[in-house]
Amino acid sequence: MPPTDSPTGLDPALAAQRLRDEGPNELGIGQRRTLRDMAWDVVTEPMFLLLLGAGAIYLAMGDAHEALILLGFVVIIMAITVLQERRTDNALNALRDLSSPRALALRGGTLVRIAGRDVVREDLLMIAEGDRIPADGTLLQAHELAANESMLTGESEPVAKQPADKVFAGTLVVSGQGLLQVTAVGRHTELGRIGQSLDTIALQASPLREEMARLTRKLVVIGLSLCGLLVALFWALRGDWLQAVLAGITLAMGVLPQELPVIMIIFLALAARRLAAQQVLTRRLNAIETLGQTTVLCVDKTGTLTQNRMAVAALCIAGQELDVQNLPAAADGSALPEAFHELLEYAVLASEIEPHDPMEQAFHRMAADHLVNTEHLHPAWSLAREYELSPQLLAMSHLWRDGTSAHDTVATKGAPEAVADLCHLPDAERAAVSAQAARLADRGLRVLGVAKARHRTQDTWPDAQHGFDFAWLGLVALADPLRSEVPQAVAQCRQAGIRVVMITGDHPRTARAIAAQAGIANDRVITGDELVHMPPQELADQVRQVSVFARIKPHQKLALVEALKAQGEVVAMTGDGVNDAPALKAAHIGIAMGQRGTDVAREAAALVLLHDDFAAIVLAIHRGRQTFANLRQAMVYTLAVHVPIIGLALLPVLFGLPLVLAPLHIAFLELVIDPACSIVFEAEKGAADLMQQPPRAADEPLLSARHILLSVLQGSVVTAAVVGLYAWLLSQPAHAATASTAAFVVLVAANAALILPSRSSQTGWQSLWAGLTPVSLWVAGGTLAALAAITTVPWLAKAFRFVPLSPLHWFMALLAVLLLTVVFAANKRWLQPTAPAHNPPPA
């Protein structure tokens, strides 16, 4: 609907040039970290401060060669860490850009959907209810338009807008539609001048992060205590304070759990990227961890369970029903019996001129097929007044003027009971209408009543629809087929212990029919009218048992979500409209529809389905469970590989043996551990029965006592094997460097072998075979290749103070690692926590 003086909007080439010249429509990029910021964060990490401290001590001891090598490792680790941080930040920035408000722009005579950041000055933008306005502008057209400008003014009341009025970036359209011409973008908008930001997506506090922080603090306390003890022991027993401090730094580097928060953020960010590739946008990363706890999934019917492709299925007049699904198109109306022409005519008149609603589009399509060359279409009539649908009256009316008649024509459509009430039908006729609507609804059809009225042109218009004298015309039934993937997805939810609850505004019989087709429990249906009179205790009892709620008004969705949460359920909720935002925000996981959803719904949600596909929700839940399971396995592995590092730093001092590990060795181990966790464990597909297990309890920790015990046990086995081999070799004629080299080989190889049983949640030998995947084999192979290089390449071996091993020593090391692998599998079988019994909820 562009104005006549600018019918085509900006030329796309001019818009692109203006975007290059004036920059994107953003308020600033202050929240995005630069490479310098990332490098500074890395430099201030305790691990790198310890490496630099160790280098300084080597210089103080006169060992410049060792200090330079250590500095080289510092640079390598810094580079790898910055690249990982950069990759994670790029993932978050991409997700942030995807979730920013979108705009419907008129360019070159074509309406195109563009990102809000691509809006430029003088763009023509179509705005409608639920949109967040992306830039400041002047209204060229407005149709019952109102905006919520509370973020600028603090006033919560909607502000009515007329042509020539100003609208502002960041405000929300709460009703109507309009056309605006952009006057300012980015920092030049009113919002930009105030200095607020629209596109902040942050990793907010979550139970998992809090647990990780507590675990990290405990390990830091333990590590510092052990370091102090080691320094004191070394100084007391050997008297060299520089060597004592160096040994303490080595132990601190091995104990400090700097990988834990990094691994968690990487896992969540990569999971978000994987979900985005599957058309599910994650706006809040902590939603990924909550997905695995979901116990109730609340879904709308239209567009989520069904295809949202409405088509007129039947027309009913005075009890006579006409099935029109297979009716051939005939523009002269010959295929459609004359008796039904008026019913279709008034269904079109009661719809928007250029509708977005799928039902109204269906009326227009059918009229185009059957009424084009008849007297029942009225393109010359003008729309004089609209009466909107309201929670109090589920019907809408349009008042039309033809310019010649002394009477205006009024058309209404809505819920059959509401339209019957407007027509003041006698009880007998009302019962007949209700029975006919019920029969249609039982077939899963959406049923609307249609009526007409005449009103004298010179009279004032009534304030409400009840002021007209309506005459009943009939019923229109529309079909919205169930999505083909829904029954299987609902069955998967049931197997996963997740109850699916349908919350819809449709007729109870329609809701029951669709629920039956989808496999959702439908033995009882509760309506919105019943909820109004339901005391809190009864509501709590009903939401525990009932899975279908019909004729639900938007504000009642919030009440249902709160009632489910009060039962201790972890609730995921889908929605698309402005009025769904409170329920989306109140749910543990709000899921907005990306295609038909409004900007305000998307901003209130934690997840956005870029394609309105129910199966994608189940996919997201699976990804959430998989990410948590993989993160748990990674943490068990990470803790396990730190135990032998602690043992090799402490035990030689206690037993008076030469030290095995130096800071350089710890730096090498850091290059092994972090990639193993971030690559191998994140790529794990998870257990085959992941979606046959019950939801994770809300209070279930990431690492239980048995997980920690398993880590300590696995690490202790490696410690005993390495220290035992080291002490035995020292007792032999072998050189001390040979003993330390063999011990280090067994340590690194054992850590690589530990990946195999740790990757899988299976126990026994199955965990070893499950761990033999291309990713784990590549990482293990790369680790062993690096190990071979630092022990066999002369200049590398000299830097690490290693010496070449004899074939016998290599065989002994290999045999030790194979025996350790068997012990790893046995330990896991003994200590692996068992899954709780699974009692699936009702369908």
Side-chain angles (χ1 to χ4, degrees):
M1 300 184 301
T4 55
D5 59 339
S6 183
T8 60
L10 280 183
D11 180 84
L14 176 59
Q17 183 62 44
R18 188 162 290 174
L19 182 63
R20 289 192 294 270
D21 294 343
E22 301 182 5
N25 178 34
E26 294 179 326
L27 301 185
I29 55 173
Q31 77 239 20
R32 304 193 181 195
R33 298 191 302 162
T34 63
L35 276 174
R36 185 179 63 181
D37 297 331
M38 295 179 192
W40 175 251
D41 289 344
V42 170
V43 169
T44 55
E45 282 286 328
M47 169 60 65
F48 300 103
L49 294 178
L50 289 171
L51 281 170
L52 293 175
I57 291 177
Y58 276 123
L59 285 175
M61 295 168 62
D63 194 343
H65 180 67
E66 190 82 17
L68 289 175
I69 294 175
L70 198 60
L71 182 61
F73 264 95
V74 170
V75 173
I76 293 173
I77 296 177
M78 282 182 62
I80 291 175
T81 306
V82 169
L83 287 175
Q84 277 188 327
E85 290 279 328
R86 181 76 169 186
R87 182 181 181 188
T88 302
D89 264 31
N90 286 340
L92 295 177
N93 290 338
L95 297 175
R96 184 186 294 116
D97 291 339
L98 277 174
S99 62
S100 66
R102 300 179 298 171
L104 188 61
L106 185 64
R107 289 185 175 174
T110 304
L111 282 172
V112 292
R113 181 72 68 176
I114 62 175
R117 69 187 306 273
D118 294 336
V119 171
V120 298
R121 281 189 310 106
E122 297 187 345
D123 253 331
L124 293 183
L125 305 180
M126 296 289 299
I127 55 175
E129 178 181 335
D131 290 347
R132 184 177 288 281
I133 298 174
D136 287 2
T138 302
L139 284 172
L140 303 180
Q141 297 179 12
H143 179 63
E144 298 185 355
L145 186 69
N148 183 331
E149 299 181 346
S150 58
M151 69 182 305
L152 293 176
T153 65
E155 298 293 333
S156 59
E157 289 296 320
V159 179
K161 296 291 183 178
Q162 303 296 329
D165 285 351
K166 297 286 187 181
V167 291
F168 303 100
T171 60
L172 294 171
V173 179
V174 295
S175 66
Q177 52 189 318
L179 177 72
L180 70 90
Q181 186 168 43
V182 175
T183 57
V185 297
R187 295 179 179 272
H188 303 290
T189 62
E190 188 69 23
L191 187 64
R193 283 191 286 271
I194 294 175
Q196 298 186 20
S197 177
L198 291 178
D199 60 347
T200 300
I201 297 178
L203 182 59
Q204 301 175 349
S206 67
L208 187 58
R209 293 197 71 183
E210 292 171 356
E211 180 186 350
M212 195 70 69
R214 288 194 299 271
L215 177 61
T216 301
R217 286 194 295 268
K218 290 178 182 177
L219 291 176
V220 167
V221 171
I222 294 172
L224 292 178
S225 302
L226 289 175
C227 290
L229 176 63
L230 179 63
V231 172
L233 283 174
F234 197 104
W235 198 355
L237 296 174
R238 307 193 187 186
D240 189 337
W241 71 271
L242 274 178
Q243 284 285 358
V245 173
L246 191 61
I249 288 176
T250 302
L251 179 58
M253 290 172 60
V255 173
L256 291 182
Q258 72 284 345
E259 303 104 323
L260 301 188
V262 173
I263 290 170
M264 186 192 70
I265 292 174
I266 289 174
F267 270 49
L268 294 181
L270 291 179
R273 284 293 298 269
R274 292 180 188 276
L275 283 174
Q278 295 166 333
Q279 305 303 307
V280 180
L281 169 64
T282 308
R283 298 193 70 253
R284 296 175 181 80
L285 288 185
N286 61 323
I288 294 175
E289 65 177 88
T290 313
L291 279 167
Q293 299 174 323
T294 302
T295 59
V296 174
L297 176 58
C298 298
V299 297
D300 189 17
K301 178 186 76 69
T302 305
T304 305
L305 298 178
T306 62
Q307 297 177 12
N308 198 27
R309 295 177 181 173
M310 304 294 286
V312 178
L315 301 174
C316 302
I317 298 177
Q320 180 185 359
E321 180 181 324
L322 176 68
D323 187 343
V324 298
Q325 286 182 301
N326 298 314
L327 204 64
D332 60 357
S334 58
L336 181 67
E338 178 66 32
F340 294 92
H341 284 196
E342 186 181 35
L343 177 59
L344 180 58
E345 171 190 2
Y346 278 87
V348 172
L349 289 173
S351 303
E352 296 293 338
I353 299 172
E354 294 183 3
H356 297 286
D357 183 272
M359 291 188 297
E360 296 185 344
Q361 291 174 345
F363 296 146
H364 278 265
R365 284 197 304 270
M366 186 173 183
D369 289 339
H370 296 283
L371 299 182
V372 170
N373 296 325
T374 70
E375 71 279 9
H376 295 287
L377 292 183
H378 312 283
W381 287 12
S382 60
L383 182 61
R385 175 72 188 270
E386 285 190 67
Y387 293 86
E388 300 293 336
L389 194 78
S390 69
Q392 294 74 33
L393 182 62
L394 298 177
M396 61 180 294
S397 298
H398 284 176
L399 187 145
W400 297 87
R401 283 184 170 172
D402 61 11
T404 60
S405 173
H407 289 82
D408 298 329
T409 299
V410 185
T412 190
K413 72 177 191 308
E417 61 269 25
V419 177
D421 185 52
L422 285 174
C423 296
H424 305 291
L425 293 180
D427 290 343
E429 290 186 34
R430 192 174 301 213
V433 167
S434 179
Q436 181 68 47
R439 287 192 294 272
L440 293 168
D442 284 341
R443 292 160 46 188
L445 302 178
R446 178 75 180 269
V447 185
L448 297 179
V450 180
K452 67 176 182 178
R454 301 277 284 170
H455 187 74
R456 290 181 61 84
T457 301
Q458 64 269 27
D459 291 346
T460 58
W461 295 321
D463 293 330
Q465 298 177 73
H466 277 287
F468 295 108
D469 185 17
F470 282 107
W472 177 266
L473 290 177
L475 295 172
V476 180
L478 300 104
D480 185 9
L482 193 73
R483 291 182 182 270
S484 59
E485 71 275 6
V486 164
Q488 181 181 359
V490 170
Q492 286 180 313
C493 286
R494 187 166 60 252
Q495 292 173 353
I498 301 169
R499 181 161 65 103
V500 179
V501 175
M502 180 199 293
I503 303 176
T504 179
D506 274 350
H507 191 280
R509 291 177 179 267
T510 305
R512 187 192 296 272
I514 294 297
Q517 296 174 31
I520 299 172
N522 56 90
D523 51 328
R524 172 82 191 281
V525 179
I526 292 180
T527 65
D529 290 340
E530 292 175 293
L531 285 181
V532 171
H533 306 292
M534 199 172 285
Q537 185 55 50
E538 184 181 354
L539 175 61
D541 293 337
Q542 294 297 337
V543 297
R544 192 183 296 113
Q545 305 170 21
V546 178
S547 297
V548 180
F549 296 86
R551 284 285 189 255
I552 297 297
K553 299 175 177 62
H555 70 274
Q556 292 176 317
K557 292 183 178 181
L558 176 60
L560 289 171
V561 169
E562 295 291 0
L564 287 166
K565 289 170 61 179
Q567 302 293 320
E569 305 284 5
V570 177
V571 182
M573 168 86 187
T574 67
D576 59 1
V578 175
N579 292 324
D580 291 333
L584 290 174
K585 192 170 184 179
H588 294 98
I589 306 170
I591 305 172
M593 301 295 108
Q595 289 181 316
R596 59 190 175 92
T598 58
D599 283 336
V600 66
R602 284 191 289 270
E603 290 183 14
L607 299 177
V608 179
L609 303 185
L610 301 182
H611 293 310
D612 300 345
D613 183 0
F614 180 78
I617 302 175
V618 181
L619 191 69
I621 293 173
H622 181 271
R623 174 62 62 183
R625 292 187 174 193
Q626 180 180 325
T627 299
F628 185 87
N630 291 349
L631 184 58
R632 170 176 283 168
Q633 299 300 117
M635 294 303 172
V636 170
Y637 171 81
T638 302
L639 292 180
V641 298
H642 277 267
V643 172
I645 296 175
I646 297 171
L648 286 178
L650 277 174
L651 294 179
V653 175
L654 294 177
F655 293 117
L657 302 175
L659 295 181
V660 180
L661 297 180
L664 187 61
H665 302 132
I666 302 295
F668 177 84
L669 291 171
E670 290 297 324
L671 289 174
V672 172
I673 295 170
D674 282 344
C677 289
S678 59
I679 297 174
V680 175
F681 290 96
E682 195 281 329
E684 172 63 30
K685 293 182 179 179
D689 64 343
L690 201 59
M691 290 298 284
Q692 279 77 51
Q693 300 173 10
R696 191 176 79 252
D699 59 351
E700 181 181 340
L702 176 64
L703 295 178
S704 67
R706 296 185 73 174
H707 290 116
I708 295 175
L709 182 58
L710 177 62
S711 291
V712 173
L713 182 60
Q714 302 285 51
S716 298
V717 168
V718 177
T719 304
V722 174
V723 174
L725 176 66
Y726 180 59
W728 182 77
L729 287 174
L730 285 177
S731 68
Q732 302 300 309
H735 192 274
T738 301
S740 62
T741 302
F744 191 79
V745 166
V746 173
L747 173 64
V748 175
N751 285 345
L754 184 56
I755 291 176
L756 298 181
S758 298
R759 282 192 74 230
S760 171
S761 59
Q762 298 181 28
T763 59
W765 292 109
Q766 293 89 348
S767 65
L768 298 180
W769 298 122
L772 290 172
T773 64
V775 175
S776 62
L777 291 177
W778 272 105
V779 171
T783 300
L784 295 178
L787 178 62
I790 64 172
T791 54
T792 59
V793 177
W795 63 272
L796 281 175
K798 183 179 180 181
F800 281 84
R801 297 180 180 177
F802 289 154
V803 295
L805 296 179
S806 67
L808 176 61
H809 291 139
W810 277 108
F811 174 77
M812 291 172 59
L814 178 61
L815 181 62
V817 170
L818 290 176
L819 292 174
L820 283 173
T821 304
V822 175
V823 176
F824 292 154
N827 288 341
K828 191 172 183 184
R829 183 176 184 84
W830 177 45
L831 278 177
Q832 178 72 22
T834 55
H838 176 40
N839 297 311

